């Protein structure tokens, strides 16, 4: 289970870019999280787009309204269930997210003002289906590779 929230100035992303990002941001996390592109795993991913008026975002202590010609500011928040999130796996996800943003926006390269926050939600702290959900209960669903399931069990001491 993963929630990706993309926060941008109003009208920064058009409908086609959001369509593309809904898919490519999901894929950016899905492969490192489950170890393979598994169609059945896609339902466990949500991408939310939040837009803010320029007077509701600031960079460098200056509201975007006052910052000059359209500073390209984005914050992408990624919240994932506890699992195999070693430093190198988190780095892979962050790099994949930034690459997906650059491609979808035609930027050529990620902007230094596009920031990604990667948060791991502790085991026992994710709610769904009327209760607390554990990644351990999902490991036998068939979406995780054997190697990824083994790594998650090891990371969680299970």
């Amino acid at each position: 289970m993963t929630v990706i929230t993309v926060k941008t100035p109003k009208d920064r992303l058009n409908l086609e870019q959001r369509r593309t990002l809904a898919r490519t941001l999901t894929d950016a996390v899905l492969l490192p999280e489950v170890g393979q592109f598994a169609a059945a795993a896609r339902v466990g991913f949500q991408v939310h787009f939040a837009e803010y008026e320029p007077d509701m975002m600031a960079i460098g202590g200056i509201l975007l309204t006052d910052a000059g010609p359209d500073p390209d500011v984005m914050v992408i928040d990624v919240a994932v269930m506890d699992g195999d999130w070693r430093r190198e796996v988190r780095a892979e996800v962050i790099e994949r997210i930034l690459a997906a943003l650059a491609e979808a926006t035609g930027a050529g390269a990620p902007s230094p003002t596009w920031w990604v926050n990667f948060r791991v939600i502790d085991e026992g702290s994710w709610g769904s289906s009327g209760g607390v959900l554990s990644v351990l209960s999902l490991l036998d669903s068939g979406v995780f590779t054997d190697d990824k399931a083994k790594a998650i069990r090891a990371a969680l001491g299970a």
Side-chain angles (χ1 to χ4, degrees):
M1 302 287 224
T2 296
V3 177
I4 303 165
T5 306
V6 181
K7 301 173 186 179
T8 64
K10 186 169 176 53
D11 299 325
R12 170 59 179 90
L13 300 171
N14 64 39
L15 178 60
E16 286 308 311
Q17 290 170 325
R18 289 191 306 271
R19 281 186 176 128
T20 297
L21 287 168
R23 179 181 41 79
T24 59
L25 293 177
T26 294
D27 291 345
V29 184
L30 188 148
L31 179 62
E33 185 166 12
V34 303
Q36 63 185 345
F37 284 112
R42 296 181 80 76
V43 71
F45 289 74
Q46 293 184 21
V47 179
H48 298 218
F49 297 95
E51 295 184 322
Y52 297 91
E53 294 292 338
D55 64 347
M56 299 298 288
M57 294 181 85
I59 187 158
I62 300 170
L63 289 174
L64 297 186
T65 299
D66 304 327
D70 301 321
D72 194 12
V73 175
M74 282 194 241
V75 175
I76 298 82
D77 183 70
V78 182
V80 297
M81 295 179 80
D82 208 349
D84 177 32
W85 295 114
R86 293 166 282 132
R87 183 180 306 255
E88 62 269 19
V89 178
R90 291 184 310 236
E92 177 186 355
V93 169
I94 290 168
E95 290 165 4
R96 291 169 60 92
I97 286 171
L98 290 168
L101 286 165
E103 184 173 335
T105 61
S111 169
T113 54
W114 299 352
W115 299 345
V116 179
N117 297 320
F118 190 98
R119 297 182 300 120
V120 177
I121 308 302
D122 291 338
E123 177 67 15
S125 299
W126 196 286
S128 179
S129 304
V132 176
L133 185 62
S134 170
V135 69
L136 297 172
S137 65
L138 303 173
L139 296 181
D140 295 325
S141 66
V143 300
F144 293 86
T145 63
D146 290 341
D147 287 345
K148 185 52 77 167
K150 184 177 179 178
I152 291 169
R153 285 186 179 96
L156 298 179

